[in-house]
Amino acid sequence: MRPLIATIDLTAIRHNYALAKRCAPGRRAFAVVKADAYGHGSAAVAAALREEADGFAVCSVEEARVVREQAPKARLLLLEGCFDAEDYAAAMELGLDVSVQGAEQAQRLLDCGPARALNVWLKLDSGMHRLGFEPAELQRWAERLRGAPQVAEVNLMSHFACADEHLHALTDHQLERCHGMQGFAFDQRSFANSAAVLTLAPAHMDWLRPGIMLYGASPFAERSAAELGLRPAMTLTAEVIAMHDVPAGDSVGYGATWVAQRPSRIGTVSCGYADGYPRHAPSGTPVVVRGQRVPLAGRVSMDMLAIDLTDLPEAAIGDAVELWGAQLPVDEVARASGTIGYELLTRVTQRVPRRYLG
């Protein structure tokens, strides 16, 4: 078997969910498991949280089916709502909570036969301008939906654009708009994503929506996951599969972008951009071998990457290489690559086997 594996620590995910709940005592929390639980495997994560989580949140009906098999009784929120009558039929079949983010979705719900009343979450566009109703339109639809046979609860939700940036003015503006929706007696409210769960108590409301924090990555550029008390859930590990002595002046990899400044020992590692490691990771991006950080050397290939082992003379073929995880935060690799931890975790491809612990 090709030596590359993503080891998922389910105990860490349970710890991180419990931390989210401790941030807002008395509130409930949808564990966000969209995008295959941010690359960690939604079936396994839902099963691991089945006894702890108050509910789960997903992007699509297809994702909901996977989670419902593992958590038959949990509340399960469809974050982008239903896109056609078939989606609404599936939502009724599966007993989903559904986001309604515009007049078209709201009308489509009213046009459905009331096979099962749904908990509806009307999405307020509080300032992100991605999805949602303006306040006056939302209140009109709330009044129309209240009492409709297709509707059980009428709830309110919104999403913050800049909660990960300390004291950003837009966050205050969005909070004001959210709290300004007091003219209608919504059954439940949910505003807080991971960043807001961790730092914005006025946004906590009835339901939290922790996402990236569940997987042990930080939503903040300036605060590490470890500082926040989060535990990394995924460790991506490959091996050194070849070694070469490279004379000073010779290059390594496609494009000859890395040139040895001294006689160098170069290791070839069994991971590349087809596995989800970022192709744009520059030379110097760290990996961990034998407990020591060593740098990438040259461009990442489809199936392999190269590392400079010159300062680790004891390194050998077969050594484990941690690309990120317990010893090297995914957020650090992301920063070196000019992206965010969310992208790296969700891009780990299906050809990388997952091994679950805990």
Side-chain angles (χ1 to χ4, degrees):
M1 179 181 290
R2 180 168 175 253
L4 177 64
I5 193 164
T7 302
I8 312 300
D9 183 352
L10 297 172
T11 301
I13 293 173
R14 286 192 289 267
H15 164 85
N16 296 334
Y17 180 85
L19 190 151
K21 292 291 293 285
R22 289 199 301 275
C23 288
R27 273 69 167 194
R28 290 178 286 178
F30 289 112
V32 181
V33 293
K34 63 181 181 178
D36 200 28
Y38 291 51
H40 293 69
S42 58
V45 171
L49 289 175
R50 182 165 45 215
E51 300 304 319
E52 285 93 344
D54 304 304
F56 298 91
V58 296
C59 177
S60 67
V61 165
E62 292 75 18
E63 290 181 346
R65 289 190 186 280
V66 173
V67 176
R68 180 57 84 211
E69 288 181 3
Q70 303 300 324
K73 297 180 180 179
R75 289 187 73 154
L76 182 47
L77 172 60
L78 197 57
L79 288 167
E80 288 185 20
C82 295
F83 296 100
D84 51 35
E86 289 75 17
D87 275 358
Y88 273 117
M92 292 176 181
E93 170 202 343
L94 295 168
L96 305 183
D97 285 34
V98 296
S99 168
V100 172
Q101 49 85 7
E104 294 80 8
Q105 284 190 340
Q107 187 59 56
R108 198 174 291 128
L109 172 59
L110 293 179
D111 291 341
C112 291
R116 181 176 186 174
L118 300 175
N119 294 327
V120 169
W121 292 82
L122 291 174
K123 182 165 282 188
L124 171 68
D125 180 3
S126 57
M128 189 168 183
H129 301 317
R130 187 176 65 174
L131 294 175
F133 296 92
E134 290 297 314
E137 186 184 19
L138 187 144
Q139 185 136 338
R140 286 196 298 271
W141 276 105
E143 291 166 356
R144 286 192 64 185
L145 293 172
R146 177 72 78 193
Q150 298 89 345
V151 177
E153 295 178 359
V154 178
N155 303 316
L156 178 67
M157 67 185 299
S158 194
H159 193 72
F160 291 106
C162 301
D164 57 333
E165 298 182 37
H166 185 56
L167 298 178
H168 197 288
L170 180 56
T171 302
D172 288 338
H173 170 73
Q174 289 191 266
L175 266 174
E176 288 174 9
R177 293 197 99 188
C178 291
H179 288 298
M181 298 297 296
Q182 303 293 344
F184 191 89
F186 293 101
D187 295 293
Q188 308 283 334
R189 297 170 186 247
S190 177
F191 302 149
N193 56 5
S194 289
V197 167
L198 290 162
T199 63
L200 198 62
H204 286 167
M205 297 297 109
D206 303 291
W207 284 84
L208 316 172
R209 300 194 310 273
I212 191 65
M213 68 178 294
L214 296 181
Y215 308 102
S218 174
F220 306 107
E222 75 284 356
R223 297 181 66 185
S224 72
E227 290 172 30
L228 295 166
L230 301 170
R231 297 180 187 170
M234 179 192 291
T235 298
L236 183 64
T237 309
E239 282 186 11
V240 176
I241 60 172
M243 298 184 74
H244 296 276
D245 292 312
V246 176
D250 276 15
S251 64
V252 171
Y254 285 117
T257 59
W258 188 91
V259 177
Q261 303 301 302
R262 58 180 176 168
S264 300
R265 186 73 162 154
I266 300 298
T268 302
V269 178
S270 54
C271 182
Y273 61 77
D275 303 299
Y277 195 86
R279 182 180 182 275
H280 50 281
S283 295
T285 300
V287 303
V288 176
V289 180
R290 297 194 176 204
Q292 180 172 320
R293 292 185 176 205
V294 298
L296 259 62
R299 288 182 184 168
V300 175
S301 302
M302 182 180 290
D303 308 307
M304 291 168 280
L305 54 83
I307 56 177
D308 184 355
L309 294 168
T310 309
D311 295 328
L312 189 62
E314 64 270 30
I317 291 174
D319 279 353
V321 179
E322 182 177 306
L323 288 312
W324 64 67
Q327 302 174 85
L328 177 62
V330 67
D331 296 316
E332 184 174 341
V333 180
R335 280 194 300 273
S337 305
T339 185
I340 54 177
Y342 302 68
E343 181 179 15
L344 298 192
L345 294 172
T346 58
R347 287 184 63 180
V348 175
T349 60
Q350 290 304 307
R351 79 173 187 172
V352 180
R354 271 68 165 173
R355 176 180 65 188
Y356 293 94
L357 304 177

